Amino acid sequence: MASDHINSPSALLLLPPPPAFSFAKVKDAFQPSFVDVYTKLSKALAGSNRTAVLDIALAIPDLLSPSCQPRAKVVYTLVGAVCATQNIELDSPGGIDTRVVFIDASENTAIHGSQFGPILDVQLLANSGRCWNYVFYLSNTTGQNLANSFINSVSSQDRDGTAASMQAITSEPDWATCDCPLISDDQHSSTPYYSVVVGGTFDHLHVGHKLLLTAVALVLEPLDREQEGRLTIGVTGDALLVNKKYAEFLESWEERWQSTAAFLTAIMDFSPGKKSPQIERAFAPGPNGKTVLTRIQPNLVFEFVEISDPFGPTITEENLGAIVVSKETHSGGAAVNEERVKKGWKGLAVFEVDVLQSGEAATTTDLEGFGSKISSTDIRRRRVQLAKV
């Protein structure tokens, strides 16, 4: 462990496949490990205002099958529940910025030269050039096997340093992975999408936002070196937010698009030797206002658009393929397609993401504590309370 980074740790948690993908089964399998890791990182922060980073890499067999998508919801639900129980902050200063990605646990698989997540193989993860102070793994047999696969995939010149940072953590005994699928087929899975759109406020980015953005990244077709992928993110303009509760603690549009870009980059760009992204800015009168084009790699682009109406870029940019919405806003997808049809454009494939619910974690923590992890309004309320102290 690197003591000079003790106040700002960065860690990787390797998780083997759970016994099943219900919340109860995932909680039984991973909760002790989550408590151990989050407690260690929280203590390492030593009460400072710095933010620790935790990448969680969940292994799933046959993940690279093109007809399947992993479920991130239960992982983020468990993260929120554990941190509420242990009174550990998430994302904010003094807390832990968590990002979930998926690694294929099958033998003899590769991603055909792709360097983009959130689905990747062990070799790509191990050689991404990310500098983790700690690499945690479960102490049971499947956890140790995954750790061995990871360390064996590290390039020879980096292996000694990586091996020194490996730490076994608290774990439940070995479990059998059931025959029921850990991943779910999607109705649009046979069609590739290289341009995906989503919209939101994205104030004080939290695990609920992260689940939505992870879904957006998963809808994008895995990229090769020839194909460009584009994520278009509509970010609500400041003018529409003046009546929000605790509006004085809202982040600016600039802060919100930057935190969203940082998260997407963290779960998608695993290419070694990273360069600073190319950023192009534009301001045009009309419905979309500010636009920031961020080229992460030559064939991966994030476009952030300031929106001032319910539709944003979905009715000003024809060449979009799919839209991701939450269950809370599922009607928005139909409304978007109605407007596109009026313009003579092709409708978008609509992917619906189930939102995080505090009730699902009720057996693990109090509802108020969990809710504070997934609500921008509650995060701002706590900022108000701290400002009054």
Side-chain angles (χ1 to χ4, degrees), residues 94-116:
I96 300 170
D97 175 12
T98 303
R99 299 91 65 100
V100 177
V101 296
F102 303 90
I103 53 178
D104 182 68
S106 305
E107 297 181 359
N108 302 319
T109 58
I111 307 188
H112 309 297
S114 173
Q115 294 178 331
F116 302 117

Side-chain angles (χ1 to χ4, degrees), residues 104-324:
D104 182 68
S106 305
E107 297 181 359
N108 302 319
T109 58
I111 307 188
H112 309 297
S114 173
Q115 294 178 331
F116 302 117
I119 298 176
L120 54 154
D121 58 25
V122 174
Q123 185 173 4
L124 179 59
L125 179 68
N127 294 288
S128 63
R130 300 195 178 190
C131 298
W132 294 293
N133 303 116
Y134 319 88
V135 179
F136 297 113
Y137 63 94
L138 275 59
S139 57
N140 59 20
T141 302
T142 53
Q144 291 173 349
N145 289 341
L146 180 58
N148 290 337
S149 178
F150 176 84
I151 198 66
N152 290 336
S153 299
V154 177
S155 60
S156 56
Q157 62 266 33
D158 296 327
R159 191 165 295 166
D160 290 343
T162 302
S165 71
M166 302 288 289
Q167 288 191 23
I169 55 171
T170 305
S171 174
E172 290 294 308
D174 289 319
W175 54 77
T177 301
C178 71
D179 294 332
C180 56
L182 299 182
I183 41 187
S184 59
D185 293 338
D186 189 276
Q187 59 178 324
H188 305 295
S189 58
S190 61
T191 304
Y193 298 102
Y194 296 102
S195 181
V196 185
V197 64
V198 70
T201 302
F202 301 112
D203 177 55
H204 293 94
L205 204 73
H206 54 66
V207 290
H209 296 132
K210 291 177 178 182
L211 173 61
L212 179 64
L213 293 169
T214 301
V216 174
L218 287 167
V219 171
L220 193 69
E221 183 74 5
L223 306 174
D224 56 33
R225 300 183 186 276
E226 304 294 325
Q227 180 66 52
E228 178 180 283
R230 177 180 295 237
L231 299 184
T232 301
I233 300 93
V235 181
T236 307
D238 294 337
L240 291 184
L241 303 177
V242 293
N243 293 324
K244 286 274 190 180
K245 287 185 177 180
Y246 316 112
E248 67 272 27
F249 282 86
L250 276 161
E251 293 178 315
S252 67
W253 188 86
E254 189 77 11
E255 291 172 311
R256 288 181 282 122
W257 84 255
Q258 288 186 11
S259 62
T260 305
F263 174 75
L264 285 169
T265 301
I267 66 168
M268 295 192 71
D269 185 11
F270 287 84
S271 55
K274 298 181 182 66
K275 299 179 180 179
S276 298
Q278 300 177 7
I279 297 178
E280 302 173 16
R281 292 175 176 264
F283 182 85
N288 293 335
K290 303 173 188 174
T291 299
V292 179
L293 198 68
T294 304
R295 188 170 294 277
I296 305 303
Q297 291 291 331
N299 60 335
L300 179 61
V301 176
F302 303 152
E303 180 184 22
F304 297 92
V305 179
E306 181 186 31
I307 56 176
S308 57
D309 61 47
F311 301 104
T314 62
I315 60 170
T316 60
E317 298 185 18
E318 182 176 3
N319 295 323
L320 300 171
I323 184 172
V324 177

Side-chain angles (χ1 to χ4, degrees), residues 41-85:
L41 291 178
S42 183
K43 288 181 178 178
L45 287 169
S48 72
N49 285 327
R50 297 187 182 185
T51 302
V53 170
L54 176 62
D55 290 321
I56 297 177
L58 174 62
I60 302 177
D62 300 317
L63 182 56
L64 299 182
S65 170
S67 65
C68 296
Q69 295 284 6
R71 298 172 181 168
K73 180 185 176 184
V74 291
V75 180
Y76 278 121
T77 300
L78 184 57
V79 167
V82 166
C83 289
T85 302

